[in-house]
Amino acid sequence: MKRELALFAGSVMLLATLAGSAYGQCANASVVQGNVAMIPGDTDTGNHGDDETVNVAFPFAVSFYGNSYSAANVSSNGNIQFVTSDVEYFNECLPVGYLGAAFMPHWDDLYLEEPGEGIFTSVTGTPGSRIFSIEWRAEYYASANPINFSVQFHEDSTDIDVVYANVPENGASATIGTQDGAGTFTQFACNSGGISSGTSLTFTCVPAGACCTANGCSIMTAANCGGAGGQYNGDGTSCGTDSYTFSPGGAFSSIAGSGSLLATVSDCDDCTESVSLPFSFTFYGNTYSSVNVSSNGNLQFDGASGEYFNGPIPSGDEPNNAIYPLWDDYNPFEQGDVYMLAEGTSPNRTVTIEWNNVTQYTAAGFYPLTSETFQAILHENNTIEFRYGSITPTLTDGLGQGSGVDSSGGDRTIGVENMAGSMASSIPSTGFTGASQLLTFTLAPNVCGSQCGTSDFDGDGDSGTDADIEAFFACLGGNCCATCFSGGADFDGDGDVGTDADIEAFFRVLAGNPC
């Protein structure tokens, strides 16, 4: 079958994604044509098929859009995927959501099954300045014409070279470019040619960072920030509360023998139980003293949704303002319990919520029982950890088990989401196994500080229009548009959302006065 979605490559790839980086972020990439020499591959990766991927380890950390990777999935169809492993042969113009963070030297329908064909790698140079080459020796599936090209990663640079030794069809049916999987992309060509044998392309990161304007914080280049009248915070800087960052967490240790049983949520299906926190916890800029624990594998601030049908985040649908260690349809009433344990001394206290041996929904015994054990740990310094014990593979046999999906096509939702459902940070759950996947979510300080809203509330370039007023009141009702003021209904930036003070500040600014 030519069209199929392969599973995520597992914990090695996931932890590579979360590894962090010393490199700055990229707003896009510049592309320069040249005549870089081909470095042939001398190590066979084992990919000699049609519509296959192979996991390739890098000999050094490779920076891609500000993230550092130790491995990638290399497709027979001429692309390199850093967080997915899709075998789609029918190329599309960028951006392409299901490929995630990916580099496309020559995405086309290619074939590697004839003698001498395959994907080969090599490492040249000395430590600190090595070059890692990935070479395709293939043929076009439709015409059987031979094609030969390589991608070269540099240890001392974020530049990526693509060398076209033999491309007889000149890229006429290929997608060539790069994308971060979150909307930023640079496309050199899409079914339009533009390359020739004996030439090369060099993709260079255009550095970006946090830019503070009246509309809040966004990532852009220094030049674009200046043009927008903003304050540029430097290459590689983050907007802070606009996103959480990920890193590996600590080892799993069950609290079933030491924690307190949460009796209500342990004896129900699709319900929540409110618990008091032993310390104030700040989440997306707001501070809380309690949280609602859901039977369906999530924690909610200011909400008590029993929604069992998980979906991708961010979303305006309930729940919102939530932490999702493993959101899915569980039934502790049938099997399993939920525990809570507070530990430590101020200012280093933690509170752990553990779902222990809970089963997925079984339709009154019609579907098979499963066993899911996992934790969300809140730290007094406002970081969040997810730790996993025994996790049943996703997409089980029961028709009601695995019905909800996240944006990666996986069965569970893993991440954090703000109150408006307009911001979230998540990881793919496709192929998620849990065992060695320990995650820490850290909210960086807001580099822009508190921001008052603007009279161009909907961010469309027109100030103080009926559309701005309508967008503001829609946001007050919990439905903020994607381009709306980054503070949402907290128009005056004081931490209280949708109050009379926010409404008064909105109309003051609308009239041309200070916030």
Side-chain angles (χ1 to χ4, degrees), residues 32-244:
V32 176
Q33 293 182 285
N35 301 100
V36 174
M38 164 80 83
I39 302 175
D42 55 22
T43 301
D44 191 341
T45 66
N47 191 331
H48 298 280
D50 181 33
D51 304 331
E52 292 184 2
T53 62
V54 61
N55 186 251
V56 173
F58 297 132
F60 48 80
V62 168
S63 176
F64 192 71
Y65 286 101
N67 289 314
S68 181
Y69 298 90
S70 61
N73 289 315
V74 181
S75 170
S76 59
N77 291 316
N79 63 66
I80 299 171
Q81 301 167 46
F82 292 92
V83 295
T84 58
S85 185
D86 194 285
V87 296
E88 178 57 56
Y89 69 95
F90 191 85
N91 66 294
E92 302 178 36
C93 295
L94 302 183
V96 180
Y98 59 79
L99 291 184
F103 187 74
M104 296 80 168
H106 192 286
W107 180 21
D108 203 348
D109 190 4
L110 305 181
Y111 188 76
L112 304 177
E113 294 187 354
E114 297 300 324
E117 295 178 345
I119 296 175
F120 303 84
T121 65
S122 67
V123 183
T124 56
T126 58
S129 59
R130 291 172 291 181
I131 298 174
F132 181 61
S133 178
I134 303 175
E135 180 191 2
W136 281 258
R137 301 170 193 168
E139 62 185 68
Y140 297 92
Y141 184 85
S143 66
N145 284 329
I147 178 173
N148 180 217
F149 59 93
S150 71
V151 173
Q152 296 171 184
F153 295 98
H154 299 260
E155 188 174 14
D156 58 1
S157 169
T158 57
D159 287 358
I160 303 174
D161 297 321
V162 186
V163 182
Y164 299 102
N166 181 37
V167 282
E169 298 180 16
N170 299 318
S173 58
T175 299
I176 301 170
T178 180
Q179 65 177 36
D180 70 349
T184 297
F185 68 96
T186 298
Q187 180 172 275
F188 176 79
C190 180
N191 301 323
S192 59
I195 58 173
S196 58
S197 300
T199 64
S200 66
L201 297 175
T202 297
F203 288 76
T204 300
C205 166
V206 177
C211 178
C212 301
T213 68
N215 268 329
C217 184
S218 58
I219 302 299
M220 62 178 70
T221 64
N224 288 342
C225 183
Q231 174 188 343
Y232 190 64
N233 286 269
D235 294 350
T237 52
S238 159
C239 285
T241 54
D242 285 346
S243 65
Y244 276 77

Side-chain angles (χ1 to χ4, degrees), residues 78-438:
N79 63 66
I80 299 171
Q81 301 167 46
F82 292 92
V83 295
T84 58
S85 185
D86 194 285
V87 296
E88 178 57 56
Y89 69 95
F90 191 85
N91 66 294
E92 302 178 36
C93 295
L94 302 183
V96 180
Y98 59 79
L99 291 184
F103 187 74
M104 296 80 168
H106 192 286
W107 180 21
D108 203 348
D109 190 4
L110 305 181
Y111 188 76
L112 304 177
E113 294 187 354
E114 297 300 324
E117 295 178 345
I119 296 175
F120 303 84
T121 65
S122 67
V123 183
T124 56
T126 58
S129 59
R130 291 172 291 181
I131 298 174
F132 181 61
S133 178
I134 303 175
E135 180 191 2
W136 281 258
R137 301 170 193 168
E139 62 185 68
Y140 297 92
Y141 184 85
S143 66
N145 284 329
I147 178 173
N148 180 217
F149 59 93
S150 71
V151 173
Q152 296 171 184
F153 295 98
H154 299 260
E155 188 174 14
D156 58 1
S157 169
T158 57
D159 287 358
I160 303 174
D161 297 321
V162 186
V163 182
Y164 299 102
N166 181 37
V167 282
E169 298 180 16
N170 299 318
S173 58
T175 299
I176 301 170
T178 180
Q179 65 177 36
D180 70 349
T184 297
F185 68 96
T186 298
Q187 180 172 275
F188 176 79
C190 180
N191 301 323
S192 59
I195 58 173
S196 58
S197 300
T199 64
S200 66
L201 297 175
T202 297
F203 288 76
T204 300
C205 166
V206 177
C211 178
C212 301
T213 68
N215 268 329
C217 184
S218 58
I219 302 299
M220 62 178 70
T221 64
N224 288 342
C225 183
Q231 174 188 343
Y232 190 64
N233 286 269
D235 294 350
T237 52
S238 159
C239 285
T241 54
D242 285 346
S243 65
Y244 276 77
T245 58
F246 309 112
S247 62
F252 177 83
S253 177
S254 178
I255 63 167
S258 55
S260 300
L261 178 71
L262 299 181
T264 299
V265 77
S266 294
D267 194 32
C268 72
D269 182 28
D270 303 331
C271 75
T272 63
E273 178 175 348
S274 178
V275 299
S276 296
L277 299 175
F279 47 81
S280 296
F281 186 80
T282 300
F283 185 67
Y284 279 106
N286 296 310
T287 301
Y288 302 92
S289 59
S290 64
V291 68
N292 290 316
V293 181
S294 169
S295 60
N296 291 320
N298 62 72
L299 305 176
Q300 302 170 40
F301 300 101
D302 294 330
S305 171
E307 179 58 50
Y308 64 89
F309 194 89
N310 67 289
I313 53 176
S315 168
D317 297 334
E318 291 186 341
N320 296 123
N321 206 27
I323 298 170
Y324 307 99
L326 206 65
W327 178 23
D328 202 0
D329 188 4
Y330 304 119
N331 187 2
F333 176 77
E334 184 169 13
Q335 175 184 286
D337 293 299
V338 184
Y339 297 92
M340 174 177 173
L341 178 65
E343 297 178 285
T345 58
S346 181
N348 300 305
R349 290 172 289 181
T350 64
V351 60
T352 301
I353 309 294
E354 178 178 322
W355 290 257
N356 182 272
N357 191 35
V358 296
T359 181
Q360 290 181 309
Y361 173 73
T362 65
F366 184 75
Y367 302 146
L369 289 168
T370 69
S371 178
E372 326 296 338
T373 299
F374 55 94
Q375 300 171 337
I377 304 175
L378 308 186
H379 292 253
E380 195 167 4
N381 67 358
N382 302 314
T383 61
I384 303 164
E385 279 191 276
F386 295 164
R387 302 183 183 181
Y388 301 91
S390 173
I391 298 294
T392 303
T394 57
L395 300 175
T396 57
D397 293 335
L399 296 179
Q401 298 171 336
S403 53
V405 296
D406 71 354
S407 56
S408 73
D411 175 32
R412 290 143 173 173
T413 301
I414 305 169
V416 295
E417 181 183 34
N418 75 342
M419 182 181 297
S422 59
M423 302 181 213
S425 294
S426 63
I427 67 165
S429 72
T430 300
F432 186 80
T433 59
S436 62
Q437 296 163 334
L438 314 166

